[in-house]
Amino acid sequence: MDKIRISAVKYANTYPFIYGLNVSGFGEKAIIETDHPSGCAEKLITGRTDLGLMPAGALPLLNEYHIVGDYCIGANGDVRTVMLLSNSEFEDTRTIYLDYRSRSSVKLIKVLAANWWKKEYEWKDTSRGFDFTGIKPGEAVVLIGDQCFELEKSFSHNVDLAGAWKKYTGLPFVFACWIANKELERDFIDDFNNALASGVRNIDAVVQKFGKTGKIRDAELKKYLSENIDYKLDNEKKKGLSLFLELIGKL
């Protein structure tokens, strides 16, 4: 049988998953790659991978999908790495640039704008090489990933989009969950889920492994993984995910 192809996200919030897959020896059972969230989605949609950390906003693009395991990339309040940033008051903002690396965050801000803020914006796409810090007065950017920790100090105004969703709905937000585009064997799923659990339950070891390598480091990384990211795909997160999918269907 061919090895299962897995696509994970290359951000700090995925460190526990990568750690768990590595220490459990899961690399012997699967081919594991890392991509931007949009890359994970594209590979699942085109069939270039079998299992991936799929952005929630891209789920409607799959003809068939199966949620795998008990874990996700979620937040029950501020997440710190999905931000709306500007150097103008947000009531004066007219144009919002959208981070090209994330479908979920783009859909999330459009849902919030339409349903909670009740405001229309001019939406502009970005691409690789875009200068997120070079925006003009009256403009804002949606920025995702580890670089939020690095770049947020370059802006005078910020909104944490996961925190905004929590205030609007009272529910946690699911940014991505493990999705297969075909049926997988039960034994494989159980082993995969156990591998993820071994990382999520050992955050100190994860920080020791990755705490010197990225933009989020040491104690700040531990706080981020322990307090901002909520990994358990529980019933409240499933409710939040269901509501999000319903709302993006109405956009």
Side-chain angles (χ1 to χ4, degrees):
M1 176 178 156
D2 292 338
K3 287 186 175 182
I4 298 295
R5 298 163 297 172
I6 298 175
S7 175
V9 173
K10 57 169 65 176
Y11 293 144
N13 55 28
T14 312
Y15 287 166
F17 295 153
I18 298 300
Y19 178 87
L21 292 171
N22 285 335
V23 298
S24 66
F26 211 82
E28 298 175 5
K29 303 177 184 180
I31 299 169
I32 303 171
E33 300 176 334
T34 57
D35 301 282
H36 291 307
S38 58
C40 290
E42 182 184 357
K43 284 185 175 181
L44 272 173
I45 292 166
T46 59
R48 286 186 289 150
T49 196
D50 306 303
L51 173 63
L53 196 51
M54 182 76 163
L59 285 175
L61 300 177
L62 285 168
N63 293 324
E64 173 187 1
Y65 70 84
H66 308 271
I67 295 178
V68 174
D70 301 322
Y71 299 96
C72 67
I73 300 294
N76 194 16
D78 287 352
V79 72
R80 291 290 312 276
T81 48
V82 181
M83 304 292 293
L84 177 64
L85 301 166
S86 180
N87 284 315
S88 300
E89 297 283 351
F90 283 114
E91 53 264 33
D92 299 326
T93 299
R94 301 176 301 278
T95 301
I96 296 179
Y97 289 92
L98 304 170
D99 196 325
Y100 66 95
R101 292 162 298 193
S102 173
R103 286 181 170 92
S104 291
S105 303
V106 167
K107 295 286 179 63
L108 175 55
I109 193 169
K110 290 184 176 181
V111 162
L112 291 170
N115 295 281
W116 192 34
W117 301 331
K118 306 291 187 181
K119 188 173 180 180
E120 294 184 359
Y121 298 96
E122 179 183 7
W123 307 106
K124 290 191 176 182
D125 294 330
T126 62
S127 58
R128 187 185 299 274
F130 180 78
D131 180 10
F132 287 96
T133 61
I135 61 171
K136 301 173 183 176
E139 297 178 340
V141 296
V142 174
L143 188 68
I144 73 161
D146 304 355
Q147 64 180 337
C148 289
F149 276 72
E150 180 183 24
L151 297 183
E152 67 178 347
K153 55 182 172 289
S154 301
F155 299 90
S156 57
H157 297 80
N158 69 77
V159 175
D160 189 296
L161 294 187
W165 169 266
K166 176 73 174 182
K167 290 175 184 175
Y168 169 53
T169 67
L171 293 167
F173 190 77
V174 174
F175 286 98
C177 47
W178 289 102
I179 296 293
N181 51 18
K182 62 182 182 182
E183 292 276 4
L184 299 178
E185 294 181 1
R186 185 72 253 172
D187 287 347
F188 178 91
I189 292 174
D190 289 343
D191 289 346
F192 179 74
N193 198 53
N194 289 335
L196 299 182
S198 68
V200 172
R201 295 170 183 167
N202 289 282
I203 296 300
D204 285 344
V206 172
V207 173
Q208 185 174 5
K209 173 72 174 177
F210 295 103
K212 305 292 185 186
T213 61
K215 292 182 173 66
I216 313 173
R217 299 195 169 197
D218 299 325
E220 193 169 43
L221 177 62
K222 181 177 179 178
K223 182 177 180 180
Y224 171 64
L225 297 179
S226 302
E227 300 180 15
N228 296 114
I229 304 298
D230 193 340
Y231 290 102
K232 191 67 174 177
L233 186 58
D234 56 20
N235 287 334
E236 285 297 288
K237 289 194 191 65
K238 290 176 181 177
K239 289 179 185 177
L241 176 60
S242 179
L243 177 59
F244 180 56
L245 293 175
E246 176 186 337
L247 292 174
I248 64 176
K250 297 178 180 178
L251 286 176

